[in-house]
Amino acid sequence: MCDETLYHLTSDGRRLDVFLAEATGLTRSRVASLMDDGCCQVDGKPESKAGAKPKTGCQIVFTLPAPKPAAPQAENIPLTFLYEDKDLAVVIKPSGMVVHPAAGNEDGTLVNALLYHLDSLGGIGGELRPGIVHRLDKDTSGLLLVAKNDAAQLALSQQLADRAMEKHYRALVEGNLKEDHGFIDAPIARHKTDRKRMAVDPSGRPSQTEWTVLARGKGCTLLDVHILTGRTHQIRVHMKHIGHPVCGDPIYGVARGVQVPRLMLHAYSLSFTHPATGERMTFTAPLPEAFLKGLRSGGIDTNEEESNT
């Protein structure tokens, strides 16, 4: 296995993503993603903002992680598909399944399953993330969009970047929110000391979340959450930021919260424009039984939720 590569550089005053892309040969988007993962330091301090312009002479250390040596293998893992044609597929990811292979999760992922169920997916969007347009956390269930060719991958990724793709989640959060509707506009960056966590940080990337109360329970509230940006752990970090973390969250939650069987976050609906036909398409994913059980634990009547799925 190849070791990671360290770049020791001296700033010339330009934007970091431009400077690092030129120095490493990577794309600016790849550089930005690695910066978001904590791979860049300026004068010994983490820097996740791609547009930052360190002063000339600042010392930059950029870490390029070692590539995974082998492409993921197809595995016969059951999946639920809501839609499929020659360009794309819409699949429901179960809670507990990792989306794409990484260290410690080389198999049993959604990508392994997709390679088995979908033909000619291996070369789309890169070896380790074939066809994956967006991602969900391991313990989040719900809708994922998969591209089946390069043209669809490019078009759908552009919709995501342009905020033309609309994503709504169901989230059960701790406590009782006073208002029925709210908007969170708080930048998110990698946590400065715990690199596995994200945090609200003025130097982070712009992050916007809109929420609407659907039902109120015993010490918890069921929300419809609409994300306008797609940052890592965005909903979980934003809800913690306003004092109402997602129930069952092992990273951002509370020790003595509502007793639920899983992380209470579910990608419920997804709207996008078909890259080939131009048709606007909307899909919804039924709430899993474990999620409904969690709602009942919080004293929320699930009859209406079940009838809407």
Side-chain angles (χ1 to χ4, degrees):
M1 179 179 292
C2 298
D3 294 329
E4 64 183 17
T5 302
L6 289 178
Y7 291 86
H8 295 270
L9 306 163
T10 302
S11 173
D12 62 4
R14 286 184 292 164
R15 280 177 58 115
L16 270 175
D17 55 351
V18 175
F19 176 75
L20 290 173
E22 183 178 298
T24 62
L26 301 173
T27 64
R28 287 172 62 183
S29 60
R30 175 63 172 152
V31 166
S33 176
L34 289 172
M35 291 180 68
D36 198 36
D37 287 339
C39 293
C40 180
Q41 290 190 344
V42 177
D43 284 344
K45 297 180 180 180
E47 177 56 77
S48 62
K49 191 173 181 181
K53 294 181 179 180
K55 293 181 180 179
T56 299
C58 288
Q59 297 303 300
I60 300 169
V61 178
F62 184 71
T63 304
L64 181 60
K68 193 170 182 292
Q73 301 300 305
E75 295 181 51
N76 186 5
I77 303 171
L79 283 179
T80 299
F81 287 87
L82 295 187
Y83 179 83
E84 182 185 357
D85 61 23
K86 64 181 181 64
D87 297 299
L88 58 88
V90 179
V91 63
I92 299 178
K93 186 191 85 67
S95 176
M97 176 181 277
V98 173
V99 172
H100 52 84
N105 291 292
E106 288 82 6
D107 50 32
T109 71
L110 181 71
V111 163
N112 296 114
L114 290 172
L115 288 171
Y116 179 87
H117 291 285
L118 302 178
D119 295 331
S120 304
L121 195 64
I124 309 304
E127 260 194 351
L128 300 186
R129 299 183 62 178
I132 301 298
V133 177
H134 58 107
R135 60 188 176 185
L136 294 176
D137 297 338
K138 174 183 176 181
D139 294 325
T140 301
S141 56
L143 295 169
L144 266 176
L145 182 58
V146 182
K148 296 176 66 176
N149 55 62
D150 287 325
Q153 174 88 22
L154 181 62
L156 293 170
S157 296
Q158 191 61 51
Q159 286 186 47
L160 193 64
D162 293 341
R163 302 186 185 183
M165 190 177 294
E166 187 168 341
K167 295 186 287 183
H168 286 257
Y169 291 71
R170 292 289 188 263
L172 185 70
V173 301
E174 302 282 354
N176 190 353
L177 287 89
K178 294 180 181 180
E179 295 80 18
D180 290 331
H181 179 83
F183 184 79
I184 306 168
D185 187 359
I188 291 175
R190 186 71 54 180
H191 195 282
K192 285 182 169 57
T193 58
D194 185 349
R195 308 311 292 172
K196 294 183 179 180
R197 295 163 60 101
M198 308 298 290
V200 168
D201 187 326
S203 67
R205 302 172 70 186
S207 307
Q208 297 176 324
T209 301
E210 182 180 30
W211 56 266
T212 302
V213 171
L214 296 177
R216 300 181 186 276
K218 299 175 181 178
C220 58
T221 309
L222 177 63
L223 304 177
D224 172 87
V225 182
H226 174 211
I227 57 172
L228 283 78
T229 53
R231 310 305 178 208
T232 301
H233 295 179
Q234 177 173 321
I235 295 173
R236 299 163 68 181
V237 171
H238 271 176
M239 297 316 300
K240 176 181 174 61
H241 179 63
I242 65 170
H244 297 279
V246 177
C247 295
D249 193 329
I251 299 177
Y252 306 99
V254 294
R256 296 184 178 181
V258 178
Q259 297 301 301
V260 292
R262 51 159 288 183
L263 174 70
M264 295 298 287
L265 188 59
H266 177 73
Y268 180 72
S269 74
L270 176 66
S271 298
F272 59 91
T273 300
H274 195 290
T277 67
E279 177 188 359
R280 190 68 179 173
M281 307 183 79
T282 300
F283 297 89
T284 59
L287 298 179
E289 178 53 40
F291 196 99
L292 292 170
K293 182 178 179 181
L295 294 182
R296 290 190 285 267
S297 296
I300 291 178
D301 183 2
T302 61
N303 290 330
E304 183 176 349
E305 287 297 325
E306 290 175 289
S307 66
N308 287 336
T309 60

